């Protein structure tokens, strides 16, 4: 069946090609979709337009998340938590972002390919975790704004090249550099002491390139040198080794839990969990949803691990991952 597109469609398409601003482009695509007659003959075209609209929307979102103010970059948090990838040049930060998310950073064998932060979302079960790729840290240079990004992250993954001849030196340089910016990488997050201003950031070491020749020897050395101070995980971002395990590992390191809300007499909404820190109470959950909710909260009924179905609990009840909560105000 021929598509039989009206002349306005072609006119819009022409404007689309000339448009520069993504916002204008999006509007015109939506217009084209509205103008187009919807029948069998345009099935393919409809699907194509829908795809272009959603792709453009995604691109626009991605742009907005990384904001630039002067010579500073900021990355707005999105999803359940924000994880930042840092490390020496060429350790595979960009490859790791590319392998874990739908982002398409430049991956190259020469250093300093990545000049600004770039983020993607790691899909894990029913949630998305934000992953941020960053420019390298070396003895020659570190982008000063990178310290702000690290301070703001929920978890730091310090990448180490298990194939490198200079693995230890490269890694030590990162620690030293960050100390100059008053950032101390540690296994657990601690409050910044206002007296010294040092940020203590929760960090895991991530040995990459486990496929390379030196990797076994280097991993042993890494564990020997840092195993007491940091949890260590190893992958091959390029070969895709241990990536699924890494996603779960990151989720567990984040120490977050998911609770689902329901209204009386209805089923729970398992699509859109409320994300809370481990140890959060019923009152914390109510606050996370809405402050009025927290104010009016009387009790809740809970379903899930460690409780009997519909058990009545009070504000100080400590929630667990997977709990279904029915608030009563
Ligand atoms: N053998 C191997 N090479 C890798 C792996 N991950 C990245 N690379 C290579 O290491 C180089 C640097 O990667 P890139 O992601 O750009 O590093 P970045 O500078 O840390 O962002 C590229 O040539 C990649 O192909 C891996 O798991 N195994
Ligand atoms: Mg890079």
């Amino acid at each position: 069946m021929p598509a039989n597109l009206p002349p306005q469609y072609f006119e819009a398409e022409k404007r689309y090609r000339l448009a520069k601003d993504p916002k204008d482009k999006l509007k015109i695509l939506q217009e084209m979709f509205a103008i187009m007659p919807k029948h069998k003959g345009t099935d393919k075209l409809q699907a194509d337009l829908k795809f272009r609209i959603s792709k453009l929307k995604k691109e626009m979102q991605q742009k907005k998340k990384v904001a630039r103010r002067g010579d500073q970059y900021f990355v707005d948090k999105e999803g359940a938590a924000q994880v930042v990838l840092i490390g020496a040049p060429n350790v595979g930060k960009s490859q790791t972002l590319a392998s874990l998310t739908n982002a398409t950073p430049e991956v190259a064998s020469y250093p300093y390919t990545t000049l600004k932060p770039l983020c993607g979302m790691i899909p894990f079960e029913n949630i998305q975790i934000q992953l941020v790729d960053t420019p390298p840290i070396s003895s020659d240079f570190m982008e000063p704004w990178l310290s702000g990004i690290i301070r703001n992250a929920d978890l730091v993954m310090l990448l180490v090249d298990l194939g490198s001849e200079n693995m230890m030196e490269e890694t030590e340089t990162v620690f030293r550099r960050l100390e100059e910016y008053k950032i101390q990488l540690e296994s657990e997050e601690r409050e910044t002491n206002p007296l010294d201003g040092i940020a203590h950031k929760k960090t895991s070491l991530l040995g990459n390139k486990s496929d390379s020749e030196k990797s076994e020897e280097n991993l042993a050395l890494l564990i020997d040198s840092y195993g007491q101070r940091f949890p260590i995980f190893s992958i091959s971002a390029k070969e895709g080794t241990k990536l699924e395990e890494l996603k779960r590992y990151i989720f567990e390191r984040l120490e977050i839990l998911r609770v689902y809300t329901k209204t009386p007499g209805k089923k729970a909404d398992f699509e859109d969990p409320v994300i809370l820190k481990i140890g959060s109470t019923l009152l914390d959950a109510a606050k996370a949803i809405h402050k009025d909710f927290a104010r009016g909260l009387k009790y809740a009924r809970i379903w899930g691990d460690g409780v009997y179905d519909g058990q009545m609990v009070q504000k100080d009840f400590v929630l667990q991952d997977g709990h279904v909560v029915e608030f009563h105000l």
Side-chain angles (χ1 to χ4, degrees), residues 86-97 99 105-114 133-136 159 161 208-212 235-241:
I86 62 166
N90 278 322
V91 292
K93 298 178 292 298
S94 298
Q95 177 67 60
T96 302
L97 179 76
S99 301
E106 218 181 314
V107 175
S109 57
Y110 48 89
Y112 306 105
T113 330
T114 310
D133 179 21
T134 61
L159 256 78
D161 181 349
N208 184 34
K209 312 196 189 181
S210 66
D211 57 293
S212 60
I235 59 164
S236 166
K238 201 166 167 182
E239 309 269 288
T241 314

mmCIF file of all heavy atoms in Angstrom, residues 86-97 99 105-114 133-136 159 161 208-212 235-241, ligand 1:
data_model
loop_
_atom_site.group_PDB
_atom_site.id
_atom_site.type_symbol
_atom_site.label_atom_id
_atom_site.label_comp_id
_atom_site.label_asym_id
_atom_site.label_seq_id
_atom_site.Cartn_x
_atom_site.Cartn_y
_atom_site.Cartn_z
ATOM 1 N N ILE A 86 36.780 6.393 37.877
ATOM 2 C CA ILE A 86 37.973 7.231 37.768
ATOM 3 C C ILE A 86 39.201 6.347 37.566
ATOM 4 O O ILE A 86 39.138 5.139 37.791
ATOM 5 C CB ILE A 86 38.180 8.114 39.019
ATOM 6 C CG1 ILE A 86 38.391 7.249 40.271
ATOM 7 C CG2 ILE A 86 37.017 9.072 39.221
ATOM 8 C CD1 ILE A 86 38.934 8.035 41.455
ATOM 9 N N GLY A 87 40.303 6.957 37.171
ATOM 10 C CA GLY A 87 41.532 6.199 37.035
ATOM 11 C C GLY A 87 42.535 6.858 36.130
ATOM 12 O O GLY A 87 42.269 7.912 35.548
ATOM 13 N N ALA A 88 43.678 6.209 36.006
ATOM 14 C CA ALA A 88 44.762 6.692 35.154
ATOM 15 C C ALA A 88 44.325 6.650 33.685
ATOM 16 O O ALA A 88 43.289 6.058 33.372
ATOM 17 C CB ALA A 88 45.980 5.802 35.390
ATOM 18 N N PRO A 89 45.084 7.254 32.793
ATOM 19 C CA PRO A 89 44.753 7.184 31.366
ATOM 20 C C PRO A 89 44.767 5.739 30.865
ATOM 21 O O PRO A 89 45.581 4.928 31.330
ATOM 22 C CB PRO A 89 45.885 7.978 30.695
ATOM 23 C CG PRO A 89 46.479 8.820 31.761
ATOM 24 C CD PRO A 89 46.271 8.099 33.044
ATOM 25 N N ASN A 90 43.860 5.436 29.949
ATOM 26 C CA ASN A 90 43.864 4.142 29.234
ATOM 27 C C ASN A 90 43.551 2.889 30.052
ATOM 28 O O ASN A 90 43.831 1.785 29.597
ATOM 29 C CB ASN A 90 45.221 3.912 28.546
ATOM 30 C CG ASN A 90 45.288 4.629 27.223
ATOM 31 O OD1 ASN A 90 44.291 4.674 26.494
ATOM 32 N ND2 ASN A 90 46.418 5.219 26.937
ATOM 33 N N VAL A 91 42.998 3.067 31.238
ATOM 34 C CA VAL A 91 42.692 1.877 32.045
ATOM 35 C C VAL A 91 41.403 1.201 31.582
ATOM 36 O O VAL A 91 41.109 0.072 31.954
ATOM 37 C CB VAL A 91 42.592 2.208 33.554
ATOM 38 C CG1 VAL A 91 43.952 2.605 34.117
ATOM 39 C CG2 VAL A 91 41.573 3.301 33.818
ATOM 40 N N GLY A 92 40.604 1.931 30.765
ATOM 41 C CA GLY A 92 39.374 1.336 30.240
ATOM 42 C C GLY A 92 38.111 1.915 30.844
ATOM 43 O O GLY A 92 37.069 1.257 30.867
ATOM 44 N N LYS A 93 38.171 3.151 31.302
ATOM 45 C CA LYS A 93 36.988 3.784 31.904
ATOM 46 C C LYS A 93 35.870 3.911 30.865
ATOM 47 O O LYS A 93 34.719 3.555 31.128
ATOM 48 C CB LYS A 93 37.347 5.176 32.460
ATOM 49 C CG LYS A 93 38.383 5.139 33.565
ATOM 50 C CD LYS A 93 38.752 6.527 34.070
ATOM 51 C CE LYS A 93 39.517 7.365 33.062
ATOM 52 N NZ LYS A 93 40.829 6.795 32.653
ATOM 53 N N SER A 94 36.245 4.431 29.708
ATOM 54 C CA SER A 94 35.228 4.645 28.678
ATOM 55 C C SER A 94 34.685 3.319 28.146
ATOM 56 O O SER A 94 33.493 3.180 27.897
ATOM 57 C CB SER A 94 35.793 5.490 27.540
ATOM 58 O OG SER A 94 36.165 6.765 28.036
ATOM 59 N N GLN A 95 35.579 2.335 28.028
ATOM 60 C CA GLN A 95 35.129 1.006 27.592
ATOM 61 C C GLN A 95 34.156 0.418 28.616
ATOM 62 O O GLN A 95 33.168 -0.211 28.246
ATOM 63 C CB GLN A 95 36.346 0.082 27.434
ATOM 64 C CG GLN A 95 36.002 -1.343 27.046
ATOM 65 C CD GLN A 95 35.422 -1.440 25.645
ATOM 66 O OE1 GLN A 95 36.081 -1.069 24.675
ATOM 67 N NE2 GLN A 95 34.187 -1.910 25.521
ATOM 68 N N THR A 96 34.414 0.643 29.890
ATOM 69 C CA THR A 96 33.528 0.120 30.941
ATOM 70 C C THR A 96 32.155 0.786 30.858
ATOM 71 O O THR A 96 31.120 0.116 30.944
ATOM 72 C CB THR A 96 34.167 0.336 32.333
ATOM 73 O OG1 THR A 96 35.420 -0.325 32.344
ATOM 74 C CG2 THR A 96 33.296 -0.210 33.446
ATOM 75 N N LEU A 97 32.142 2.100 30.658
ATOM 76 C CA LEU A 97 30.861 2.800 30.486
ATOM 77 C C LEU A 97 30.112 2.235 29.282
ATOM 78 O O LEU A 97 28.910 1.958 29.353
ATOM 79 C CB LEU A 97 31.078 4.307 30.290
ATOM 80 C CG LEU A 97 29.798 5.108 30.070
ATOM 81 C CD1 LEU A 97 29.042 5.293 31.386
ATOM 82 C CD2 LEU A 97 30.063 6.465 29.432
ATOM 83 N N SER A 99 30.395 -0.717 27.951
ATOM 84 C CA SER A 99 29.983 -2.109 28.137
ATOM 85 C C SER A 99 28.824 -2.270 29.111
ATOM 86 O O SER A 99 28.058 -3.223 29.020
ATOM 87 C CB SER A 99 31.160 -2.949 28.635
ATOM 88 O OG SER A 99 32.217 -2.906 27.716
ATOM 89 N N PRO A 105 30.644 6.284 24.473
ATOM 90 C CA PRO A 105 31.817 7.152 24.590
ATOM 91 C C PRO A 105 32.884 6.731 23.586
ATOM 92 O O PRO A 105 32.843 5.628 23.049
ATOM 93 C CB PRO A 105 32.302 6.878 26.003
ATOM 94 C CG PRO A 105 31.888 5.473 26.270
ATOM 95 C CD PRO A 105 30.600 5.266 25.533
ATOM 96 N N GLU A 106 33.822 7.604 23.359
ATOM 97 C CA GLU A 106 34.945 7.254 22.501
ATOM 98 C C GLU A 106 35.916 6.402 23.304
ATOM 99 O O GLU A 106 36.289 6.753 24.421
ATOM 100 C CB GLU A 106 35.625 8.548 22.056
ATOM 101 C CG GLU A 106 36.104 8.490 20.622
ATOM 102 C CD GLU A 106 36.789 9.781 20.231
ATOM 103 O OE1 GLU A 106 36.245 10.856 20.541
ATOM 104 O OE2 GLU A 106 37.864 9.694 19.633
ATOM 105 N N VAL A 107 36.309 5.270 22.730
ATOM 106 C CA VAL A 107 37.286 4.386 23.380
ATOM 107 C C VAL A 107 38.506 4.367 22.480
ATOM 108 O O VAL A 107 38.389 4.112 21.291
ATOM 109 C CB VAL A 107 36.720 2.957 23.509
ATOM 110 C CG1 VAL A 107 37.774 2.009 24.069
ATOM 111 C CG2 VAL A 107 35.479 2.949 24.387
ATOM 112 N N ALA A 108 39.663 4.671 23.026
ATOM 113 C CA ALA A 108 40.834 4.715 22.151
ATOM 114 C C ALA A 108 42.100 4.376 22.897
ATOM 115 O O ALA A 108 42.174 4.517 24.119
ATOM 116 C CB ALA A 108 40.964 6.103 21.546
ATOM 117 N N SER A 109 43.093 3.912 22.152
ATOM 118 C CA SER A 109 44.329 3.447 22.777
ATOM 119 C C SER A 109 45.258 4.604 23.124
ATOM 120 O O SER A 109 46.274 4.405 23.754
ATOM 121 C CB SER A 109 45.039 2.465 21.859
ATOM 122 O OG SER A 109 45.266 3.092 20.625
ATOM 123 N N TYR A 110 44.919 5.813 22.686
ATOM 124 C CA TYR A 110 45.742 6.942 23.100
ATOM 125 C C TYR A 110 45.079 7.636 24.287
ATOM 126 O O TYR A 110 43.845 7.624 24.415
ATOM 127 C CB TYR A 110 45.972 7.926 21.950
ATOM 128 C CG TYR A 110 44.730 8.300 21.198
ATOM 129 C CD1 TYR A 110 43.953 9.386 21.591
ATOM 130 C CD2 TYR A 110 44.329 7.547 20.093
ATOM 131 C CE1 TYR A 110 42.815 9.719 20.907
ATOM 132 C CE2 TYR A 110 43.170 7.875 19.400
ATOM 133 C CZ TYR A 110 42.419 8.962 19.805
ATOM 134 O OH TYR A 110 41.282 9.280 19.135
ATOM 135 N N PRO A 111 45.872 8.222 25.186
ATOM 136 C CA PRO A 111 45.287 8.816 26.393
ATOM 137 C C PRO A 111 44.542 10.115 26.091
ATOM 138 O O PRO A 111 44.675 10.670 25.000
ATOM 139 C CB PRO A 111 46.495 9.076 27.276
ATOM 140 C CG PRO A 111 47.650 9.147 26.360
ATOM 141 C CD PRO A 111 47.342 8.323 25.163
ATOM 142 N N TYR A 112 43.789 10.575 27.065
ATOM 143 C CA TYR A 112 43.068 11.857 26.996
ATOM 144 C C TYR A 112 42.039 11.924 25.870
ATOM 145 O O TYR A 112 41.889 12.937 25.211
ATOM 146 C CB TYR A 112 44.069 13.037 26.915
ATOM 147 C CG TYR A 112 45.060 12.975 28.052
ATOM 148 C CD1 TYR A 112 46.355 12.556 27.837
ATOM 149 C CD2 TYR A 112 44.640 13.264 29.350
ATOM 150 C CE1 TYR A 112 47.245 12.439 28.899
ATOM 151 C CE2 TYR A 112 45.520 13.148 30.411
ATOM 152 C CZ TYR A 112 46.814 12.735 30.181
ATOM 153 O OH TYR A 112 47.679 12.604 31.236
ATOM 154 N N THR A 113 41.361 10.807 25.640
ATOM 155 C CA THR A 113 40.262 10.795 24.685
ATOM 156 C C THR A 113 39.038 11.419 25.341
ATOM 157 O O THR A 113 38.212 12.036 24.680
ATOM 158 C CB THR A 113 39.884 9.346 24.291
ATOM 159 O OG1 THR A 113 41.044 8.555 24.374
ATOM 160 C CG2 THR A 113 39.311 9.294 22.906
ATOM 161 N N THR A 114 38.912 11.204 26.666
ATOM 162 C CA THR A 114 37.747 11.687 27.382
ATOM 163 C C THR A 114 38.087 13.024 28.034
ATOM 164 O O THR A 114 38.976 13.095 28.869
ATOM 165 C CB THR A 114 37.333 10.668 28.465
ATOM 166 O OG1 THR A 114 37.255 9.385 27.857
ATOM 167 C CG2 THR A 114 35.995 11.018 29.082
ATOM 168 N N ASP A 133 31.555 8.464 33.373
ATOM 169 C CA ASP A 133 32.921 8.308 32.863
ATOM 170 C C ASP A 133 33.621 9.656 32.975
ATOM 171 O O ASP A 133 32.999 10.697 32.780
ATOM 172 C CB ASP A 133 32.818 7.869 31.393
ATOM 173 C CG ASP A 133 34.169 7.691 30.731
ATOM 174 O OD1 ASP A 133 35.171 7.503 31.452
ATOM 175 O OD2 ASP A 133 34.225 7.731 29.484
ATOM 176 N N THR A 134 34.902 9.642 33.294
ATOM 177 C CA THR A 134 35.610 10.905 33.553
ATOM 178 C C THR A 134 36.970 10.945 32.851
ATOM 179 O O THR A 134 37.495 9.907 32.459
ATOM 180 C CB THR A 134 35.853 11.062 35.070
ATOM 181 O OG1 THR A 134 36.676 9.975 35.509
ATOM 182 C CG2 THR A 134 34.560 11.090 35.857
ATOM 183 N N PRO A 135 37.535 12.128 32.726
ATOM 184 C CA PRO A 135 38.889 12.232 32.164
ATOM 185 C C PRO A 135 39.912 11.610 33.114
ATOM 186 O O PRO A 135 39.645 11.460 34.304
ATOM 187 C CB PRO A 135 39.123 13.743 32.061
ATOM 188 C CG PRO A 135 37.810 14.383 32.261
ATOM 189 C CD PRO A 135 36.991 13.442 33.076
ATOM 190 N N PRO A 136 41.071 11.250 32.601
ATOM 191 C CA PRO A 136 42.060 10.533 33.407
ATOM 192 C C PRO A 136 42.712 11.384 34.485
ATOM 193 O O PRO A 136 42.736 12.607 34.409
ATOM 194 C CB PRO A 136 43.104 10.114 32.369
ATOM 195 C CG PRO A 136 42.964 11.106 31.267
ATOM 196 C CD PRO A 136 41.513 11.451 31.214
ATOM 197 N N LEU A 159 39.362 2.492 38.624
ATOM 198 C CA LEU A 159 39.786 1.478 37.656
ATOM 199 C C LEU A 159 41.301 1.340 37.625
ATOM 200 O O LEU A 159 42.024 2.324 37.707
ATOM 201 C CB LEU A 159 39.292 1.838 36.247
ATOM 202 C CG LEU A 159 38.104 0.991 35.808
ATOM 203 C CD1 LEU A 159 36.864 1.508 36.473
ATOM 204 C CD2 LEU A 159 37.971 0.978 34.314
ATOM 205 N N ASP A 161 44.397 -0.844 35.477
ATOM 206 C CA ASP A 161 44.707 -1.641 34.281
ATOM 207 C C ASP A 161 45.562 -2.837 34.676
ATOM 208 O O ASP A 161 46.756 -2.695 34.954
ATOM 209 C CB ASP A 161 45.436 -0.745 33.272
ATOM 210 C CG ASP A 161 45.778 -1.489 31.984
ATOM 211 O OD1 ASP A 161 45.645 -2.728 31.946
ATOM 212 O OD2 ASP A 161 46.188 -0.808 31.021
ATOM 213 N N ASN A 208 40.607 -3.916 35.624
ATOM 214 C CA ASN A 208 40.081 -4.158 34.276
ATOM 215 C C ASN A 208 41.150 -4.840 33.418
ATOM 216 O O ASN A 208 42.314 -4.873 33.782
ATOM 217 C CB ASN A 208 39.645 -2.827 33.654
ATOM 218 C CG ASN A 208 39.009 -3.024 32.292
ATOM 219 O OD1 ASN A 208 38.328 -4.034 32.057
ATOM 220 N ND2 ASN A 208 39.239 -2.098 31.379
ATOM 221 N N LYS A 209 40.723 -5.349 32.282
ATOM 222 C CA LYS A 209 41.592 -6.056 31.321
ATOM 223 C C LYS A 209 42.071 -7.382 31.917
ATOM 224 O O LYS A 209 43.248 -7.734 31.803
ATOM 225 C CB LYS A 209 42.777 -5.182 30.873
ATOM 226 C CG LYS A 209 42.378 -3.762 30.446
ATOM 227 C CD LYS A 209 43.448 -3.055 29.661
ATOM 228 C CE LYS A 209 43.082 -1.595 29.452
ATOM 229 N NZ LYS A 209 44.074 -0.832 28.668
ATOM 230 N N SER A 210 41.153 -8.091 32.550
ATOM 231 C CA SER A 210 41.491 -9.407 33.114
ATOM 232 C C SER A 210 41.854 -10.397 32.016
ATOM 233 O O SER A 210 42.326 -11.496 32.296
ATOM 234 C CB SER A 210 40.323 -9.945 33.946
ATOM 235 O OG SER A 210 39.211 -10.204 33.111
ATOM 236 N N ASP A 211 41.624 -10.003 30.770
ATOM 237 C CA ASP A 211 42.004 -10.862 29.636
ATOM 238 C C ASP A 211 43.478 -10.727 29.276
ATOM 239 O O ASP A 211 44.008 -11.511 28.504
ATOM 240 C CB ASP A 211 41.150 -10.487 28.416
ATOM 241 C CG ASP A 211 41.284 -9.015 28.050
ATOM 242 O OD1 ASP A 211 40.835 -8.155 28.837
ATOM 243 O OD2 ASP A 211 41.844 -8.717 27.009
ATOM 244 N N SER A 212 44.152 -9.723 29.832
ATOM 245 C CA SER A 212 45.528 -9.472 29.383
ATOM 246 C C SER A 212 46.532 -10.385 30.071
ATOM 247 O O SER A 212 46.253 -10.980 31.119
ATOM 248 C CB SER A 212 45.888 -8.007 29.603
ATOM 249 O OG SER A 212 45.781 -7.709 30.970
ATOM 250 N N ILE A 235 37.307 -7.427 36.137
ATOM 251 C CA ILE A 235 36.503 -7.654 34.919
ATOM 252 C C ILE A 235 37.385 -7.527 33.684
ATOM 253 O O ILE A 235 38.523 -7.092 33.768
ATOM 254 C CB ILE A 235 35.381 -6.588 34.763
ATOM 255 C CG1 ILE A 235 35.984 -5.168 34.683
ATOM 256 C CG2 ILE A 235 34.375 -6.667 35.884
ATOM 257 C CD1 ILE A 235 35.049 -4.106 34.166
ATOM 258 N N SER A 236 36.795 -7.916 32.566
ATOM 259 C CA SER A 236 37.336 -7.461 31.282
ATOM 260 C C SER A 236 36.185 -6.731 30.600
ATOM 261 O O SER A 236 35.225 -7.357 30.151
ATOM 262 C CB SER A 236 37.800 -8.626 30.416
ATOM 263 O OG SER A 236 38.001 -8.150 29.099
ATOM 264 N N ALA A 237 36.299 -5.407 30.571
ATOM 265 C CA ALA A 237 35.218 -4.608 29.998
ATOM 266 C C ALA A 237 35.081 -4.905 28.511
ATOM 267 O O ALA A 237 33.988 -4.935 27.960
ATOM 268 C CB ALA A 237 35.494 -3.127 30.214
ATOM 269 N N LYS A 238 36.218 -5.152 27.888
ATOM 270 C CA LYS A 238 36.222 -5.352 26.442
ATOM 271 C C LYS A 238 35.640 -6.709 26.066
ATOM 272 O O LYS A 238 34.837 -6.820 25.144
ATOM 273 C CB LYS A 238 37.648 -5.230 25.920
ATOM 274 C CG LYS A 238 37.731 -4.932 24.457
ATOM 275 C CD LYS A 238 39.144 -4.508 24.150
ATOM 276 C CE LYS A 238 39.437 -4.476 22.679
ATOM 277 N NZ LYS A 238 40.850 -4.110 22.478
ATOM 278 N N GLU A 239 36.047 -7.743 26.794
ATOM 279 C CA GLU A 239 35.566 -9.089 26.488
ATOM 280 C C GLU A 239 34.205 -9.358 27.117
ATOM 281 O O GLU A 239 33.587 -10.377 26.845
ATOM 282 C CB GLU A 239 36.554 -10.129 27.012
ATOM 283 C CG GLU A 239 37.987 -9.902 26.592
ATOM 284 C CD GLU A 239 38.334 -10.617 25.302
ATOM 285 O OE1 GLU A 239 38.432 -11.840 25.341
ATOM 286 O OE2 GLU A 239 38.495 -9.917 24.281
ATOM 287 N N GLY A 240 33.795 -8.490 28.008
ATOM 288 C CA GLY A 240 32.500 -8.676 28.665
ATOM 289 C C GLY A 240 32.542 -9.699 29.791
ATOM 290 O O GLY A 240 31.526 -10.280 30.153
ATOM 291 N N THR A 241 33.705 -9.920 30.379
ATOM 292 C CA THR A 241 33.821 -10.912 31.452
ATOM 293 C C THR A 241 33.422 -10.316 32.804
ATOM 294 O O THR A 241 33.914 -9.255 33.174
ATOM 295 C CB THR A 241 35.282 -11.415 31.551
ATOM 296 O OG1 THR A 241 35.739 -11.693 30.249
ATOM 297 C CG2 THR A 241 35.385 -12.642 32.425
HETATM 298 N N1 LIG B 1 42.607 -6.088 26.518
HETATM 299 C C1 LIG B 1 41.723 -5.184 26.947
HETATM 300 N N2 LIG B 1 41.775 -3.921 26.494
HETATM 301 C C2 LIG B 1 40.884 -3.041 26.958
HETATM 302 C C3 LIG B 1 39.868 -3.414 27.900
HETATM 303 N N3 LIG B 1 39.132 -2.321 28.175
HETATM 304 C C4 LIG B 1 39.656 -1.306 27.432
HETATM 305 N N4 LIG B 1 40.690 -1.737 26.695
HETATM 306 C C5 LIG B 1 41.513 -0.958 25.750
HETATM 307 O O1 LIG B 1 42.252 0.025 26.458
HETATM 308 C C6 LIG B 1 42.332 1.216 25.704
HETATM 309 C C7 LIG B 1 41.815 2.391 26.523
HETATM 310 O O2 LIG B 1 40.423 2.227 26.721
HETATM 311 P P1 LIG B 1 39.520 3.462 27.170
HETATM 312 O O3 LIG B 1 38.206 2.932 27.564
HETATM 313 O O4 LIG B 1 39.528 4.523 26.121
HETATM 314 O O5 LIG B 1 40.343 3.973 28.436
HETATM 315 P P2 LIG B 1 40.127 5.287 29.316
HETATM 316 O O6 LIG B 1 41.202 6.236 28.916
HETATM 317 O O7 LIG B 1 40.322 4.820 30.738
HETATM 318 O O8 LIG B 1 38.750 5.791 29.067
HETATM 319 C C8 LIG B 1 41.575 0.982 24.410
HETATM 320 O O9 LIG B 1 42.476 0.611 23.416
HETATM 321 C C9 LIG B 1 40.657 -0.167 24.774
HETATM 322 O O10 LIG B 1 40.314 -0.942 23.650
HETATM 323 C C10 LIG B 1 39.830 -4.785 28.354
HETATM 324 O O11 LIG B 1 38.994 -5.210 29.150
HETATM 325 N N5 LIG B 1 40.793 -5.612 27.837
#
